[in-house]
Amino acid sequence: MFITRWFGVTSNDAERDLANEKCVIEEIVEKTLLMQKNAADQQHRSLCRGTHAKGVCARAEFEVLDVSSARDAVLGARLAKGIFAEPGVYPATVRFGNSDSKKNSDFKPDVRSLSFSVDLKRDCSTASDGNVHRQDFSLQNTKVLPINDSIAFLATMKLLTASNPVAGLWALSFRDKLRVLRTLALVQVQTHQKIKPYQLLRYGSNVPFRHGPIDVVKYSAAPMPDNPARTLQKSNPNGLQDELIRHLKEDGRMSVFEFGVQFLDADRMTYWGKQRDSGFWLENASADWKEAEAPVHTVARLTLLRNSQLPPDASEATYFDVTNNSTADSAPLGSINRARAPSEMASRKARVHTSTGPETSLAVACPLETGAEGCGKPRQLNAEVEKENDVLGEAAG
């Protein structure tokens, strides 16, 4: 812990500088928009997502299982929270993609993603709380996030958006240099996994979420061993995307993922051989929740639907928002989740503005307004932006 603390892993709130977090997040938003613009300019195209720019969308079914079946009663009751409280089948929209902000060849080393939105409305009723009618999930084919927290997030974004990478790294503080070096080292390991079809990869949420009023979990989506797939054509820069489309069109059996939850059990989990408090596991996204100490429990199945690929315009309009599209029982937690919401919203609004015209550019692209202290505070979204969000929601749902 003494060594990893120098590289940004925190053990208490005093090390996390929570008082300055709003300012950090505001700067992350600015860097996210800059990276999004730079990627579009360099590839001579319109704005895409700030990250995960290249992907393909399809329809699916999300089947919540009877979590109390063949389980200890205590564990069954613990699992039966939120959307998982009762068995049921929900329509879903999924997106498989690559993590880079640029549209690269599918065979360029990268992390792959699985995001999906579950429509909670059934039979003209709703299984949600309040006005939340969909629940979104975002996962990657990694066990941890290489970016540990919002401080490391900002330091990394400063480097990625610098006009000169060497000068950008030199401009960082000594501690931020160490944070970035640790992040880049983890990225190298994660991006150089064996390249497999999207439907054969295992995905994890990397960051924690509530599971009812008390528990905290991470999510997992594991492919069934018999998911159909063909050998990838490495000469095809869209090999992953085209193989998934082929699968949806041609195979008689569709791919299935077992969806599971992994409880945060601080009394059992260890980091470098020692137990840490719950705050440690919530705030350090790069700390591994070892499955030998915190097993994954299957609670649902995600099944792709045949011939369900979304057309390109609907695919581009589809978005996922694990913060605003979550119930109280599944709210996101931790530093990275607090930082991702405004940056993802800013990125989404920027690309919506690109397709709707310049007259709404300020409202769409700037989710924060600057106060006297230079820190961002949430601004009330105007009616036009809310309308645009509704349109996007319909396309995704």
Side-chain angles (χ1 to χ4, degrees), residues 156-175:
T156 304
M157 291 298 288
K158 286 180 177 179
L159 176 64
L160 294 177
T161 56
S163 56
N164 184 316
V166 175
L169 182 62
W170 182 258
L172 296 175
S173 68
F174 176 70
R175 294 295 292 272

Side-chain angles (χ1 to χ4, degrees), residues 55-70:
V56 58
C57 293
R59 301 294 183 186
E61 283 186 347
F62 190 70
E63 180 187 4
V64 176
L65 306 175
D66 182 356
V67 297
S68 62
S69 177

Side-chain angles (χ1 to χ4, degrees), residues 20-225:
N20 194 46
E21 189 173 70
K22 287 185 178 180
C23 294
V24 170
I25 292 174
E26 182 181 82
E27 197 168 353
I28 289 173
V29 170
E30 295 173 358
K31 298 300 182 184
T32 297
L33 294 173
L34 178 58
M35 185 171 73
Q36 183 181 22
K37 180 180 182 301
N38 288 346
D41 290 346
Q42 291 166 14
Q43 295 193 315
H44 307 289
R45 56 167 171 76
S46 59
L47 291 182
C48 295
R49 290 165 172 81
T51 56
H52 305 272
K54 184 179 181 181
V56 58
C57 293
R59 301 294 183 186
E61 283 186 347
F62 190 70
E63 180 187 4
V64 176
L65 306 175
D66 182 356
V67 297
S68 62
S69 177
R71 282 192 172 108
D72 173 83
V74 174
L75 175 59
R78 194 180 182 191
L79 291 169
K81 298 293 189 296
I83 187 177
F84 308 108
E86 297 181 0
V89 179
Y90 302 87
T93 299
V94 303
R95 184 178 191 270
F96 294 89
N98 305 334
S99 294
D100 204 292
S101 60
K102 296 181 180 179
K103 291 189 173 183
N104 302 313
S105 166
D106 286 347
F107 294 94
K108 181 181 185 295
D110 201 353
V111 170
R112 317 300 168 178
S113 63
L114 165 60
S115 301
F116 63 98
S117 177
V118 176
D119 186 350
L120 301 179
K121 302 185 295 295
R122 294 185 300 174
D123 302 325
C124 300
S125 63
T126 178
S128 66
D129 64 338
N131 294 317
V132 179
H133 300 311
R134 56 183 272 200
Q135 184 164 335
D136 290 1
F137 300 88
S138 180
L139 305 94
Q140 299 188 114
N141 68 321
T142 58
K143 296 186 67 176
V144 299
L145 199 68
I147 303 174
N148 186 67
D149 54 21
S150 60
I151 302 295
F153 192 175
L154 177 56
T156 304
M157 291 298 288
K158 286 180 177 179
L159 176 64
L160 294 177
T161 56
S163 56
N164 184 316
V166 175
L169 182 62
W170 182 258
L172 296 175
S173 68
F174 176 70
R175 294 295 292 272
D176 276 352
K177 286 185 178 72
L178 295 180
R179 291 185 177 97
V180 168
L181 290 174
R182 182 175 186 269
T183 299
L184 296 180
L186 291 174
V187 166
Q188 284 298 306
V189 174
Q190 294 183 354
T191 57
H192 285 80
Q193 301 179 63
K194 182 179 179 180
I195 298 177
K196 299 180 181 179
Y198 288 130
Q199 63 266 32
L200 299 185
L201 296 174
R202 180 180 177 179
Y203 302 88
S205 66
N206 298 161
V207 289
F209 296 82
R210 288 194 182 281
H211 187 77
I214 299 175
D215 277 314
V216 174
V217 299
K218 285 186 178 181
Y219 300 124
S220 168
M224 296 295 285

Side-chain angles (χ1 to χ4, degrees), residues 169-347:
L169 182 62
W170 182 258
L172 296 175
S173 68
F174 176 70
R175 294 295 292 272
D176 276 352
K177 286 185 178 72
L178 295 180
R179 291 185 177 97
V180 168
L181 290 174
R182 182 175 186 269
T183 299
L184 296 180
L186 291 174
V187 166
Q188 284 298 306
V189 174
Q190 294 183 354
T191 57
H192 285 80
Q193 301 179 63
K194 182 179 179 180
I195 298 177
K196 299 180 181 179
Y198 288 130
Q199 63 266 32
L200 299 185
L201 296 174
R202 180 180 177 179
Y203 302 88
S205 66
N206 298 161
V207 289
F209 296 82
R210 288 194 182 281
H211 187 77
I214 299 175
D215 277 314
V216 174
V217 299
K218 285 186 178 181
Y219 300 124
S220 168
M224 296 295 285
D226 58 351
N227 280 357
R230 291 184 183 173
T231 302
L232 295 171
Q233 302 300 315
K234 294 186 178 180
S235 60
N236 178 7
N238 298 317
L240 289 175
Q241 184 170 289
D242 288 350
E243 164 53 22
L244 181 67
I245 294 171
R246 182 214 61 77
H247 167 54
L248 295 171
K249 290 181 177 179
E250 298 179 6
D251 290 334
R253 186 179 70 257
M254 289 293 97
S255 290
V256 179
F257 294 84
E258 289 194 330
F259 188 84
V261 298
Q262 181 185 27
F263 287 112
L264 193 170
D265 283 327
D267 291 340
R268 299 180 59 190
M269 296 163 60
T270 60
Y271 182 77
W272 288 106
K274 294 185 178 181
Q275 292 181 350
R276 312 291 172 181
D277 62 22
S278 295
F280 173 88
W281 300 106
L282 289 175
E283 300 299 325
N284 294 289
S286 63
D288 184 19
W289 295 19
K290 303 180 185 70
E291 291 187 30
E293 300 170 344
V296 173
H297 305 279
T298 300
V299 293
R301 290 194 187 97
L302 180 69
T303 304
L304 304 185
L305 297 182
R306 197 168 190 271
N307 291 322
S308 67
Q309 179 197 357
L310 270 63
D313 56 345
S315 183
E316 285 301 312
T318 299
Y319 78 98
F320 306 92
D321 185 339
V322 300
T323 301
N324 292 305
N325 295 324
S326 65
T327 66
D329 282 326
S330 62
L333 298 168
S335 178
I336 288 294
N337 273 324
R338 292 192 296 273
R340 78 192 294 182
S343 60
E344 289 177 353
M345 183 179 290
S347 172

